[in-house]
Amino acid sequence: MKATTCTYKQQNDLFNRFEDNPILSPTDWPYPANAVFNPAAICLNGQTLLLARVEDRRGFSHLAAARSEDGLTNWQIDPEPMLEPDPEAHEERWGLEDARIVRMADSGEYAITCVSFSVGGPLVSLIMTEDFKTFKRMGTPFPPEDKDACLFPRLFNGLYAMIHRPMIRGQAHIWISFSPDLHYWGEHEILIPVRDGWWDCHRVGLGTQPIETDAGWLIIYHGVRVTPAGQVYRVGLALLDLENPRKLIRRCDEWVFAPCLPYELSGDVPGVVFPTGAVVDKKTNQLRLYYGAADTCIAVATADLDAVLEYASTCPLP
Ligand code: BMA
């Protein structure tokens, strides 16, 4: 039987790894790929759609879709990429990476945010779609270097809100910004800073799309600590005020998910769990957390959403 738990207490018991992890690997892909990882996830027409980052053997990434009825097994992978970099017309020179998706409550459109690798460095691209067949490129909200962005699925006092992770003077905090039209952005503020000395001391970045719950917006984020043996990417939780997402109301001290199994410890970048998509099953209240493992394959862990919120609600006020 495959191992699904860590050999010692590297994390608490909130998230359980799926027994058939990894769910998607480069060898599953219908065309040559070096790595498939860091997928956006959304429920679409009753199925789970993953928009995976596929890295080719030049080291350039594009985004490709895989679909499953239960979100765990029998993934149907598109034979062609869904979104490829267009270096002529757009900001993407060396690829599209690490998408997140939300469905906008006002328009029903899907907002995809991904990292474009431009000449000036990584930056965020915003792409809208109604059907995942035709796409409207909305450009780049912020200059490089910026990553790990996602829109909130609804507006706050008439303003769109986006979480993102600029790199400023070598510091990598999670920020929030607002826009009246998805074009002009302002009211930039640090939302979740790195914590000196902690497990998330070197970099933090948004993980999955923000999840709206009665307890607030659940933020699942990654935190990085650089150790003598390399970087360790782990996962933490925070809650934001439902009506004012600038307000951080809880931030957990401990990480809740950490690399420990072979597919998380060995690959292109060992010691990485990097969540980028989540789906909540409304009937069972199960949260499925999709993550890239070691920058090589895609895995999933499940949790009871109520248990996650109960835990997050006991975390300290920042
Ligand atoms: C981040 C991003 C991710 C990657 C992670 C770990 O900076 O580039 O795409 O998974 O590093 O290497």
Side-chain angles (χ1 to χ4, degrees):
M1 216 174 97
K2 283 194 193 171
T4 57
T5 52
C6 302
T7 46
Y8 63 98
K9 269 286 190 194
Q10 281 126 320
Q11 62 183 63
N12 65 20
D13 298 325
L14 278 181
F15 287 94
N16 298 303
R17 288 167 174 82
F18 180 51
E19 60 201 11
D20 277 332
N21 273 349
I23 51 170
L24 289 163
S25 300
T27 46
D28 299 321
W29 233 250
Y31 48 89
N34 171 59
V36 292
F37 55 124
N38 301 0
I42 195 105
C43 187
L44 182 72
N45 306 327
Q47 294 184 312
T48 298
L49 170 88
L50 296 187
L51 192 54
R53 169 176 173 190
V54 180
E55 190 190 67
D56 66 25
R57 293 178 188 159
R58 298 170 302 167
F60 301 167
S61 295
H62 62 264
L63 304 176
R67 297 175 175 82
S68 155
E69 292 297 329
D70 63 5
L72 297 170
T73 58
N74 292 321
W75 292 94
Q76 305 298 315
I77 305 167
D78 280 3
E80 305 278 340
M82 181 175 271
L83 281 165
E84 288 191 280
D86 178 357
E88 296 299 313
H90 299 285
E91 58 278 2
E92 316 115 23
R93 172 80 173 269
W94 294 298
L96 299 177
E97 305 179 353
D98 303 355
R100 276 83 171 176
I101 304 174
V102 286
R103 183 164 195 259
M104 300 306 295
D106 57 340
S107 63
E109 275 186 300
Y110 296 89
I112 303 170
T113 36
C114 63
V115 177
S116 292
F117 228 99
S118 77
V119 177
L123 84 180
V124 172
S125 286
L126 174 63
I127 301 169
M128 305 299 289
T129 184
E130 282 173 19
D131 52 11
F132 290 90
K133 292 188 181 111
T134 54
F135 300 90
K136 195 161 61 183
R137 307 259 182 162
M138 308 287 290
T140 56
F142 315 108
E145 184 172 326
D146 206 354
K147 285 183 171 188
D148 300 322
C150 191
L151 272 180
F152 283 79
R154 62 177 173 85
L155 284 71
F156 303 92
N157 295 325
L159 296 177
Y160 294 94
M162 192 184 281
I163 289 188
H164 57 120
R165 207 291 303 278
M167 180 71 85
I168 298 170
R169 292 191 295 145
Q171 296 187 333
H173 310 297
I174 296 174
W175 289 64
I176 188 166
S177 302
F178 294 85
S179 169
D181 56 5
L182 293 179
H183 192 63
Y184 294 101
W185 290 86
E187 298 184 29
H188 315 290
E189 297 182 19
I190 293 178
L191 181 65
I192 304 176
V194 296
R195 293 184 286 199
D196 282 348
W198 293 65
W199 62 273
D200 48 4
C201 57
H202 286 112
R203 284 193 292 285
V204 288
L206 182 70
T208 74
Q209 68 272 49
I211 300 167
E212 188 166 9
T213 76
D214 291 342
W217 293 97
L218 175 64
I219 300 298
I220 301 175
Y221 72 95
H222 65 259
V224 183
R225 178 179 226 162
V226 181
T227 77
Q231 308 177 14
V232 187
Y233 278 72
R234 302 188 184 98
V235 179
L237 300 178
L239 286 173
L240 309 179
D241 185 272
L242 259 193
E243 296 315 319
N244 179 10
R246 297 170 183 84
K247 201 165 149 208
L248 179 62
I249 52 178
R250 302 279 170 186
R251 181 174 185 181
C252 298
D253 282 349
E254 298 185 357
W255 66 78
V256 293
F257 201 68
C260 71
L261 291 189
Y263 55 88
E264 299 161 345
L265 298 176
S266 140
D268 272 5
V269 185
V272 176
V273 288
F274 198 86
T276 34
V279 171
V280 177
D281 183 323
K282 296 252 161 58
K283 281 192 227 116
T284 61
N285 212 29
Q286 186 190 62
L287 166 71
R288 295 196 299 275
L289 180 73
Y290 296 94
Y291 63 100
D295 282 12
T296 298
C297 57
I298 295 174
V300 59
T302 59
D304 178 64
L305 181 59
D306 285 341
V308 171
L309 294 175
E310 210 172 294
Y311 175 84
S313 301
T314 64
C315 291
L317 295 165

Coordinates of all heavy atoms in Angstrom, one line a residue, residues 37-38 53 97-98 147-148 165 203 222 231 233 269 272 274 295, ligand 1:
F37 N 2.4 20.6 -13.1 CA 2.4 21.0 -11.7 C 1.5 22.3 -11.5 O 1.0 22.8 -12.4 CB 3.8 21.1 -11.0 CG 4.7 22.1 -11.7 CD1 5.3 23.1 -10.9 CD2 5.1 22.0 -13.0 CE1 6.3 24.0 -11.5 CE2 6.1 22.8 -13.6 CZ 6.6 23.8 -12.8
N38 N 1.4 22.7 -10.2 CA 0.7 24.0 -9.8 C -0.5 24.3 -10.6 O -0.6 25.3 -11.3 CB 1.8 25.1 -10.0 CG 3.0 24.9 -9.1 OD1 3.1 23.9 -8.4 ND2 3.9 25.8 -9.2
R53 N 0.0 23.8 -15.1 CA 1.2 24.3 -15.7 C 2.0 23.1 -16.3 O 2.4 22.2 -15.6 CB 2.0 25.0 -14.7 CG 3.4 25.4 -15.2 CD 4.2 26.2 -14.1 NE 5.5 26.4 -14.5 CZ 6.4 26.9 -13.7 NH1 6.1 27.3 -12.4 NH2 7.7 27.1 -14.1
E97 N 2.6 30.5 -16.3 CA 2.8 29.6 -15.2 C 1.7 29.8 -14.1 O 1.2 30.9 -14.0 CB 4.2 29.9 -14.6 CG 5.3 29.9 -15.6 CD 6.7 30.2 -15.0 OE1 6.7 30.6 -13.8 OE2 7.7 30.0 -15.7
D98 N 1.5 28.8 -13.4 CA 0.8 28.9 -12.0 C -0.5 29.7 -12.1 O -0.6 30.8 -11.4 CB 1.8 29.5 -11.0 CG 3.1 28.7 -10.9 OD1 3.2 27.6 -11.5 OD2 4.0 29.2 -10.1
K147 N 3.8 37.9 -8.7 CA 3.4 36.5 -8.9 C 2.2 36.2 -8.0 O 1.8 37.0 -7.2 CB 4.5 35.5 -8.5 CG 5.7 35.3 -9.4 CD 6.6 34.3 -8.8 CE 7.7 34.0 -9.9 NZ 8.5 32.8 -9.5
D148 N 1.7 34.9 -8.1 CA 0.8 34.4 -7.1 C -0.4 35.3 -6.9 O -0.7 35.7 -5.7 CB 1.5 34.2 -5.7 CG 2.6 33.2 -5.8 OD1 2.5 32.2 -6.6 OD2 3.7 33.4 -5.2
R165 N 1.7 39.0 -5.2 CA 2.9 38.9 -4.4 C 4.1 39.6 -5.2 O 4.9 39.0 -5.8 CB 3.2 37.5 -4.1 CG 4.1 37.2 -2.9 CD 5.5 37.6 -2.9 NE 6.2 37.0 -4.1 CZ 6.8 35.8 -4.1 NH1 6.7 35.0 -3.1 NH2 7.4 35.4 -5.2
R203 N 9.7 34.0 2.1 CA 8.7 34.4 1.1 C 7.4 33.9 1.5 O 7.3 32.8 2.0 CB 9.0 33.8 -0.3 CG 10.2 34.5 -1.0 CD 10.3 34.1 -2.5 NE 10.6 32.7 -2.7 CZ 11.8 32.3 -2.5 NH1 12.8 33.1 -2.2 NH2 12.1 31.0 -2.7
H222 N 1.4 29.8 0.7 CA 2.7 29.0 0.9 C 3.7 29.9 1.6 O 3.6 31.2 1.4 CB 3.2 28.5 -0.4 CG 3.7 29.6 -1.4 ND1 2.9 29.9 -2.5 CD2 4.8 30.3 -1.5 CE1 3.5 30.9 -3.2 NE2 4.6 31.2 -2.6
Q231 N 15.4 25.2 -0.1 CA 14.2 25.9 0.3 C 13.1 24.9 0.7 O 13.0 23.9 0.0 CB 13.6 26.7 -0.8 CG 14.6 27.7 -1.4 CD 14.0 28.4 -2.6 OE1 12.9 28.4 -2.8 NE2 14.9 29.0 -3.4
Y233 N 9.0 24.6 1.0 CA 7.7 25.3 0.8 C 6.7 24.6 1.6 O 6.4 23.4 1.3 CB 7.4 25.2 -0.7 CG 8.0 26.3 -1.6 CD1 9.4 26.2 -1.9 CD2 7.3 27.3 -2.1 CE1 10.0 27.2 -2.7 CE2 7.8 28.3 -2.9 CZ 9.2 28.2 -3.2 OH 9.8 29.2 -4.0
V269 N 12.3 20.4 -8.2 CA 12.7 21.2 -7.0 C 12.2 20.5 -5.8 O 11.0 20.5 -5.4 CB 12.0 22.6 -7.1 CG1 12.5 23.5 -5.9 CG2 12.3 23.3 -8.4
V272 N 8.9 20.8 -2.1 CA 7.9 21.8 -2.4 C 6.5 21.2 -2.4 O 6.3 20.2 -3.1 CB 8.2 22.4 -3.8 CG1 7.1 23.4 -4.2 CG2 9.5 23.1 -3.9
F274 N 3.0 23.1 -3.3 CA 2.6 24.4 -3.7 C 1.2 24.4 -4.2 O 0.9 24.1 -5.4 CB 3.6 24.7 -4.9 CG 3.7 26.2 -5.3 CD1 4.6 27.0 -4.6 CD2 2.9 26.8 -6.3 CE1 4.7 28.4 -5.0 CE2 2.9 28.1 -6.6 CZ 3.9 28.9 -6.0
D295 N 7.7 20.5 -8.0 CA 7.7 21.2 -9.3 C 7.7 20.1 -10.4 O 8.3 20.3 -11.5 CB 8.9 22.1 -9.5 CG 8.6 23.5 -8.8 OD1 7.7 23.6 -8.0 OD2 9.4 24.4 -9.0
Ligands
BMA1 C1 7.9 29.7 -7.0 C2 7.2 29.6 -8.3 C3 6.5 28.2 -8.5 C4 7.4 27.1 -8.0 C5 8.0 27.4 -6.7 C6 9.0 26.3 -6.2 O1 8.7 30.9 -7.0 O2 8.1 29.7 -9.4 O3 6.2 28.0 -9.8 O4 6.6 25.9 -7.9 O5 8.7 28.6 -6.8 O6 10.0 26.1 -7.0

